[in-house]
């Protein structure tokens, strides 16, 4: 008798699929079985044993059972890694109900943003603050509420693209704002801004270059100069800081740049930035500055479309509490930045001993990590890594292990950079490497 593809009902009734049926539900399992059979037909298979088909179904069930967004060990050496969710989050998780828009004192409706606004104002020393879903939304809202139908001046050296989808000129067009390019790519002078001002000008916008650096024959007016030009001519001065910084990064060996607080002191009406880049918290767009500038944003219809979720607000409040307490190292990213180089070396040596005892030829090498996320381009953080033979099959096994470990290829080796690995993950990392290389 000619063997054919097993019938759907026979597969579904098979005891081996009992647990899968309970986990997925009968309808999803039926669909999945049909898909497996369809794939076989598409491959031109006319017959397959019941065993073979069951095996394929089970493999697909296992794939579906994997967590959708698994926690990973970041051994890439990129601290703010966009593909790995930017900043590592505090363990705070929201579950159940929270008093999100409810005043416990009055027993009536409260204001969703009030608690984080108060913390932001205290930390940044400003009158007002607003939180939206991300920095791109913050800029869109600011432009739409304050400059629609008018002009905004931006230096040609600051017309940035971020991550392929945030392009400053396109955001401005989307907000209904006319972009007026000022100066040259490498040099923009105060006089260029002055010449470009017109009765249609709403604001001067300074944009953090974020993911690239201009060096050589370059010039940009200071924020103080731009603020006083704006004041003198009656236009606004805003700074899109994106990544930037809020505390002095020189103590971690990174270059000095203006902080949000310094930009506000310099006279910026509003500074906007990313919650997950600059603050190392959850994804959010934050605007801090003058009440008069921010109030119209609160009334704007777009605002509802970019309202942050409760989980974000809870995480943001916890992050701000650490900064307000003067303890940035309570925030996971700063914990990673603050880890002394000698400690990284000790940890690497200890891991090497464990791995070599398991017969894995691991070496300890000094290397360079980066802050990442389009911040501090060209700057590096000293670090140590375990160097392993670069073998695509084993790298894949590491990535697909539990927990997944993501390293980086460099100089023909697989480096597991410890700068973004938390010390308490070392044991898990060693065990994952042993499993993948055995
Ligand atoms: C990253 C960045 C943005 C976009 O921020 P998201 O929070 O990713 O939307 C905008 N402007 C600048 C200057 C940035 O660095």
């Amino acid at each position: 008798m000619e063997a054919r593809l097993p019938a759907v009902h026979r597969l579904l009734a098979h005891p081996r699929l009992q647990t899968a049926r309970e986990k997925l539900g009968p309808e999803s399992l039926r669909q999945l079985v049909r898909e497996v059979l369809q794939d076989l037909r598409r491959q031109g298979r006319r017959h397959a044993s019941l065993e073979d088909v069951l095996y394929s179904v089970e493999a697909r069930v296992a794939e579906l059972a994997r967590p959708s967004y698994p926690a990973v060990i970041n051994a890439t050496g990129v601290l703010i890694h966009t593909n790995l969710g930017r900043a590592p989050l505090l363990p705070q998780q929201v579950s159940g109900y929270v008093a999100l828009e409810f005043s416990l004192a009055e027993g009536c409706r409260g204001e969703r943003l009030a608690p984080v606004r108060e913390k932001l104002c205290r930390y940044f020393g400003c009158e007002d603050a607003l939180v939206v879903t991300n920095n791109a939304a913050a800029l869109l809202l600011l432009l739409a509420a304050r400059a629609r139908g008018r002009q905004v001046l931006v230096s040609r050296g600051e017309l940035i693209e971020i991550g392929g989808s945030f392009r400053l000129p396109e955001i401005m067009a989307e907000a209904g704002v006319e972009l007026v390019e000022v100066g040259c790519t490498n040099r923009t002078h105060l006089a260029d801004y002055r010449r470009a001002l017109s009765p249609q000008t709403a604001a001067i916008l300074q944009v953090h270059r974020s993911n690239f650096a201009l060096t050589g024959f370059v010039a940009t007016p200071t924020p103080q100069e731009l603020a006083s030009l704006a004041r003198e001519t009656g236009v606004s001065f805003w700074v899109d800081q994106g990544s930037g910084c809020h505390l002095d990064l020189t103590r971690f060996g990174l270059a000095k740049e203006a902080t949000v607080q310094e930009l506000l002191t310099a006279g910026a009406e509003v500074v906007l930035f990313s919650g997950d880049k600059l603050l190392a918290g959850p994804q959010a767009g934050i605007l801090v500055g003058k009440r008069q500038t921010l109030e119209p944003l609160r009334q704007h219809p777009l605002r509802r479309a970019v309202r942050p979720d409760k989980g974000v607000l809870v995480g943001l409040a916890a992050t701000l509490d650490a900064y307000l307490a003067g303890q940035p190292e309570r925030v996971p990213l700063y914990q990673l930045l603050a880890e002394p180089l000698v400690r990284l070396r000790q940890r690497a040596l200890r891991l090497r001993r464990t791995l070599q005892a398991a017969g894995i030829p691991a070496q300890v090498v000094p290397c360079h990590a980066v802050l990442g996320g389009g911040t501090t381009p060209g700057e590096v953080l000293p670090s140590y890594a375990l160097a392993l033979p670069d073998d695509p099959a084993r790298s894949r096994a590491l990535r697909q292990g539990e927990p997944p470990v993501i390293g980086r290829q460099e100089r023909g080796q697989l480096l597991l950079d410890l700068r973004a690995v938390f010390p308490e993950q070392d044991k898990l990392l060693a065990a994952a490497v042993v499993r993948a290389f055995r």
Side-chain angles (χ1 to χ4, degrees):
M1 190 182 96
E2 190 186 284
R4 285 203 253 148
L5 292 177
V8 173
H9 72 269
R10 265 189 72 207
L11 286 158
L12 285 176
H14 201 279
R16 258 171 65 183
L17 294 184
Q18 177 63 27
T19 22
R21 185 164 37 246
E22 280 159 19
K23 227 186 275 166
L24 300 177
E27 257 326 295
S28 298
L29 185 64
R30 182 188 305 275
Q31 174 123 11
L32 198 145
V33 164
R34 284 214 183 100
E35 280 167 19
V36 167
L37 292 172
Q38 228 161 43
D39 283 355
L40 288 171
R41 273 184 220 109
R42 219 171 281 138
Q43 290 159 21
R45 297 272 297 268
R46 289 282 160 74
H47 31 84
S49 69
L50 185 68
E51 280 295 306
D52 278 358
V53 180
L54 279 174
Y55 182 81
S56 301
V57 172
E58 282 171 338
R60 208 159 302 182
V61 170
E63 241 168 71
L64 279 181
R66 277 171 195 251
S68 306
Y69 298 98
V72 302
I73 294 184
N74 176 7
T76 62
V78 182
L79 273 71
I80 301 177
H81 196 302
T82 300
N83 303 147
L84 302 181
R86 288 192 175 161
L89 288 185
L90 282 164
Q92 258 87 4
Q93 291 276 323
V94 180
S95 59
Y97 295 114
V98 295
L100 181 65
E101 295 182 0
F102 187 75
S103 159
L104 296 174
E106 315 283 329
C108 63
R109 179 162 187 184
E111 218 240 287
R112 169 185 289 246
L113 287 184
V116 283
R117 178 169 64 196
E118 198 229 311
K119 289 180 204 291
L120 285 165
C121 289
R122 270 199 292 138
Y123 185 59
F124 290 105
C126 54
E127 280 174 20
D128 200 4
L130 195 62
V131 182
V132 295
T133 45
N134 58 11
N135 194 156
L139 184 61
L140 184 67
L141 180 60
L142 176 66
L143 292 168
R146 302 306 316 256
R148 175 159 284 166
R150 298 172 70 200
Q151 297 176 339
V152 169
L153 316 187
V154 184
S155 160
R156 289 198 168 88
E158 298 171 0
L159 295 173
I160 54 166
E161 172 181 302
I162 295 193
S165 53
F166 175 96
R167 308 183 91 200
L168 195 78
E170 290 170 7
I171 296 265
M172 297 186 69
E174 212 51 53
V177 169
E178 186 186 343
L179 165 65
V180 177
E181 299 181 15
V182 175
C184 290
T185 306
N186 58 330
R187 289 169 74 81
T188 304
H189 306 283
L190 194 63
D192 295 323
Y193 284 97
R194 193 185 288 279
R195 252 197 311 278
L197 284 164
S198 82
Q200 268 64 258
T201 310
I204 294 170
L205 176 65
Q206 192 169 51
V207 184
H208 192 286
R209 290 195 187 96
S210 298
N211 52 10
F212 79 106
L214 270 184
T215 56
F217 190 52
V218 298
T220 319
T222 64
Q224 284 85 351
E225 290 171 325
L226 290 175
S228 60
L229 175 64
R231 244 192 325 271
E232 179 195 317
T233 54
V235 303
S236 293
F237 172 50
W238 306 325
V239 183
D240 176 8
Q241 190 65 352
S243 36
C245 66
H246 64 105
L247 45 78
D248 186 2
L249 291 176
T250 56
R251 65 169 122 157
F252 304 115
L254 294 165
K256 168 84 189 120
E257 56 171 303
T259 62
V260 171
Q261 297 87 326
E262 286 164 350
L263 291 165
L264 290 170
T265 310
E269 260 176 39
V270 171
V271 180
L272 44 145
F273 52 87
S274 269
D276 48 356
K277 288 197 281 186
L278 188 134
L279 272 190
Q283 177 188 303
I286 298 168
L287 302 108
V288 293
K290 293 256 187 313
R291 162 149 302 190
Q292 202 190 326
T293 311
L294 291 180
E295 196 50 42
L297 274 61
R298 230 170 241 122
Q299 313 306 332
H300 195 277
L302 253 185
R303 191 203 161 199
R304 176 56 192 250
V306 296
R307 187 170 79 159
D309 165 64
K310 57 181 176 298
V312 168
L313 295 173
V314 170
L316 193 55
T319 308
L320 286 166
D321 284 341
Y323 296 136
L324 281 165
Q327 294 167 355
E329 60 290 346
R330 264 167 45 196
V331 176
L333 181 82
Y334 287 94
Q335 192 186 325
L336 296 173
L337 277 172
E339 181 85 339
L341 191 59
V342 288
R343 274 259 289 164
L344 288 178
R345 185 162 176 276
Q346 279 167 5
R347 287 169 51 199
L349 290 171
R350 202 176 310 135
L351 282 163
R352 181 182 65 182
R353 267 199 304 280
T354 311
L355 295 179
Q356 287 190 344
I360 297 164
Q363 297 301 325
V364 170
V365 294
C367 64
H368 293 301
V370 295
L371 191 51
T375 64
T376 60
E379 289 191 61
V380 293
L381 297 157
S383 182
Y384 276 94
L386 290 165
L388 294 160
D390 183 15
D391 169 346
R394 285 169 165 167
S395 296
R396 192 183 331 110
L398 260 181
R399 285 198 307 273
Q400 300 190 325
E402 271 180 44
V405 175
I406 325 291
R408 74 168 182 270
Q409 264 81 19
E410 197 174 295
R411 292 170 265 164
Q413 293 178 301
L414 172 66
L415 294 193
L416 302 179
D417 190 319
L418 293 187
R419 179 53 78 182
V421 177
F422 293 93
E424 59 273 21
Q425 294 178 320
D426 283 0
K427 280 212 176 84
L428 285 171
L429 175 66
V433 174
V434 170
R435 276 195 299 274
F437 278 72
R438 200 161 36 200

